[in-house]
Amino acid sequence: MPRKLIKRFMPDHEMIKRQKALKVFGNVLYNPNLWCLNRRSAAGAFAVGLFMAFVPLPSQMIMAAGLAIMFGVNLPLSVALVWISNPVTMPVLFYFAYKLGAFCLNTPPQPFHFELSWQYLSDQMSTIGPPFLLGCAICAIVSSVAGYFGIRGLWRYSVVRSWQKRATR
């Protein structure tokens, strides 16, 4: 059952309630619907977490928590899935998003060289910003939809399979 597999990797809800950054949400964190794990809440949490993983802004976890609260889906799962774009995978994911955006806008990819200055960042956002943001939006929407329907299908398959096993006993 996907529930057992997901619960094994899910962070403890007490640990998430103790996070200082999530104190912004106040007593809303004590809503039991945010902590239950069923097909609807898991699929919604995958959609929220995968969407926010491709948002190129800091504090993705806080935004994922806000969306999870707003949509009433599993909070720990949506916050944990944001870590798909961790410091190790982020360059690969965002480079792919940039290449996808450049392909969709039919613009040639710009050569990459990094310099840590405000002038560099403002110059680069005018040239690589539109393809990068478009690619991030496409990746966020596609991964969100694929995660939602993938988890719903996997959950349904698991339930049907367990009913079939029960019927053969």
Side-chain angles (χ1 to χ4, degrees), residues 10-159:
M10 226 168 48
D12 182 32
H13 70 277
E14 290 300 324
M15 180 192 73
I16 290 180
K17 286 180 185 177
R18 287 191 304 260
Q19 293 293 322
K20 291 180 183 179
L22 296 178
K23 297 290 184 194
V24 173
F25 300 114
N27 290 334
V28 175
L29 291 177
Y30 297 105
N31 182 355
N33 291 331
L34 298 175
W35 306 100
C36 72
L37 189 61
N38 55 36
R39 182 172 57 190
R40 182 195 158 280
S41 69
F46 264 77
V48 167
L50 291 174
F51 184 85
M52 291 310 300
F54 282 97
V55 173
L57 294 173
S59 68
Q60 294 170 317
M61 289 175 44
I62 295 171
M63 291 185 284
L67 287 175
I69 290 168
M70 188 169 74
F71 292 122
V73 298
N74 189 282
L75 179 69
L77 192 55
S78 63
V79 169
L81 280 166
V82 168
W83 278 95
I84 286 175
S85 65
N86 59 53
V88 174
T89 62
M90 194 176 291
V92 175
L93 294 175
F94 286 164
Y95 182 71
F96 173 76
Y98 169 70
K99 294 288 269 190
L100 178 65
F103 174 76
C104 290
L105 290 176
N106 200 19
T107 60
Q110 301 292 320
F112 181 75
H113 63 284
F114 184 72
E115 181 183 316
L116 190 58
S117 70
W118 287 111
Q119 182 64 34
Y120 170 79
L121 290 175
S122 65
D123 290 343
Q124 289 300 312
M125 285 314 286
S126 65
T127 59
I128 68 169
F132 173 64
L133 294 175
L134 176 65
C136 284
I138 292 170
C139 289
I141 292 169
V142 168
S143 66
S144 176
V145 169
Y148 179 81
F149 288 112
I151 290 299
R152 286 194 65 102
L154 179 65
W155 202 290
R156 172 131 176 90
Y157 171 75
S158 173
V159 169

